[in-house]
Amino acid sequence: MKLDAFLTPLAIEDAGEAASRLERDGFHGLWVTETQVDPFLPLAVAATRTTRLRLGTGIAIALARSPMVTAMDAWAIQRASGGRMDLGLGTQVRAHVQRRFGMPYDRPAARIREYVAALRHIWGAFQHEHRLSFKGDFYVFDLMTPFFDPGPIAHPRIAVHLAAVNALMFRVAGEVADGIVGHPFSTPSYLREVALPAVARGLAKAGRDRASFEITCPVFTLCEASPTFEADRSYAREQLGFYASTPTYRAVLEHHGWGAIGEELSVLARAGRFDALPALVTTEMLDAFVTRAPTYAALGARLRERYDGVLDRVALYHDAVRIGREQVAALTAALV
């Protein structure tokens, strides 16, 4: 299991130094979320300041962008990084796509399936493998003149990872993507009992096996040796309360029998009472979502125990910004 960093957000002006430090400290990859900044921007900076670190959008909101725009941005970072781009894409939820981005949100699973096909067709056209000629139910691309053609690159195969929370999207990812970049609002039990079977169905439909598919997930962690332990625990509780208030993510709570808590949290969120959300996150919920250990070496062993056979890459959510080379070495040694 490889160790990644999952940052939300990463300011453009800080991206070069942050990525250089993560690479120097021994992280395998960096994922940047689309929250307060377009994730392609800090990753573009990071591509010029690193040589080994994988660079991923974790995730970019696909349905807020034309596939052509996404294809061009990913192509540019793939070229600049020498082939280290991991394109993580997600549909987001209806309210954000329609009300924050002003974009359509019909049939998201079908749309993201076609979106991935369109990306690969566009990249093939950039690589001069064929002329641009894509027509689907949602997107049409058939105009590419030399002036706008970015042209071939040395590493044209860009890995596409889809975000998933519900079983349908896990299955779609298994059908069309190179991997999953999971949501931090996931538990080992949910990933094993819901995600993996759905991915397996998608892989079987596409005639592929699990070895061809990479699963990554950011996870909440708590190290008791950390001087910021209490603040870290409060942050985890706040984030879990926020995520649990989203109706689209209710399947995870219902898997554990916590659906009623999710409904209460949604009522509070709709009323704008976000400060009241953490109090409803129980100790049992915290234990299910958060991996906790006394030291970083023990934390690595605990992560391996909880996610062995599920994750290929585990990403530290929030904690990566505060630990150094010694802690990363202890974690990675335990994950092997």
Side-chain angles (χ1 to χ4, degrees):
M1 200 182 306
K2 297 180 177 69
L3 183 68
D4 291 344
F6 193 89
L7 301 188
T8 171
L10 176 59
I12 301 168
E13 63 272 22
D14 299 331
E17 179 56 35
S20 297
R21 180 182 63 80
L22 292 170
E23 181 174 81
R24 184 173 62 246
D25 288 347
F27 282 93
H28 173 73
L30 163 64
W31 299 90
V32 178
T33 66
E34 180 153 21
T35 50
Q36 298 164 13
V37 67
D38 182 324
F40 291 102
L41 299 177
L43 289 179
V45 176
T48 68
R49 294 283 300 274
T50 56
T51 59
R52 301 181 309 277
L53 192 71
R54 297 292 305 179
L55 304 171
T57 51
I59 48 77
I61 301 172
L63 303 191
R65 294 173 170 84
S66 160
M68 180 61 74
V69 172
T70 301
M72 292 184 69
D73 287 348
W75 197 252
I77 294 173
Q78 181 81 340
R79 178 177 56 213
S81 67
R84 293 180 284 125
M85 178 70 188
D86 288 315
L87 180 59
L89 297 172
T91 60
Q92 244 294 354
V93 299
R94 181 183 299 275
H96 281 270
V97 173
Q98 291 184 334
R99 296 168 55 198
R100 186 156 65 97
F101 290 100
M103 299 294 283
Y105 193 83
D106 56 310
R107 301 166 58 201
R111 187 180 285 269
I112 197 70
R113 183 187 283 108
E114 184 175 301
Y115 198 104
V116 174
L119 285 174
R120 290 184 174 142
H121 178 87
I122 293 167
W123 290 330
F126 289 170
Q127 197 65 12
H128 298 170
E129 297 171 354
H130 52 249
R131 62 183 291 269
L132 184 68
S133 180
F134 182 90
K135 184 174 183 179
D137 295 330
F138 303 98
Y139 304 105
V140 175
F141 301 99
D142 57 12
L143 175 64
M144 177 59 65
T145 59
F147 187 75
F148 296 101
D149 181 1
I153 59 176
H155 304 280
R157 176 64 179 176
I158 301 175
V160 178
H161 303 252
L162 291 186
V165 176
N166 296 310
L168 174 59
M169 203 59 74
F170 281 115
R171 193 190 74 197
V172 170
E175 290 178 34
V176 304
D178 299 295
I180 288 281
V181 53
H183 198 287
F185 193 68
S186 302
T187 66
S189 170
Y190 186 79
L191 292 173
R192 276 197 174 84
E193 297 171 27
V194 177
L196 288 186
V199 167
R201 289 192 292 272
L203 289 170
K205 184 175 180 180
R208 298 192 292 160
D209 58 33
R210 175 67 175 82
S212 67
F213 194 81
E214 186 173 65
I215 300 181
T216 306
C217 191
V219 300
F220 289 98
T221 56
L222 285 174
C223 180
E224 294 162 13
S226 171
T228 60
F229 173 78
E230 291 300 333
D232 297 342
R233 182 164 56 181
S234 295
Y235 174 82
R237 195 181 292 274
E238 290 167 5
Q239 286 296 106
L240 289 172
F242 169 70
Y243 287 137
S245 71
T246 304
T248 307
Y249 305 156
R250 190 68 46 76
V252 183
L253 293 175
E254 291 174 348
H255 174 74
H256 289 276
W258 301 326
I261 296 176
E263 292 172 7
E264 290 183 62
L265 287 163
S266 295
V267 170
L268 290 172
R270 285 194 295 270
R273 297 182 56 197
F274 293 100
D275 59 339
L277 302 182
L280 270 68
V281 177
T282 67
T283 300
E284 186 181 12
M285 291 170 65
L286 203 65
D287 290 343
F289 285 98
V290 181
T291 301
R292 175 175 172 172
T295 66
Y296 282 100
L299 182 61
R302 183 69 175 134
L303 286 167
R304 185 178 62 181
E305 175 187 330
R306 282 163 63 93
Y307 294 100
D308 186 43
V310 178
L311 300 183
D312 303 295
R313 296 166 63 178
V314 61
L316 298 185
Y317 187 93
H318 180 63
D319 204 28
V321 297
R322 293 185 311 282
I323 65 174
R325 186 177 303 180
E326 183 178 341
Q327 290 85 3
V328 173
L331 281 164
T332 53
L335 287 171
V336 175

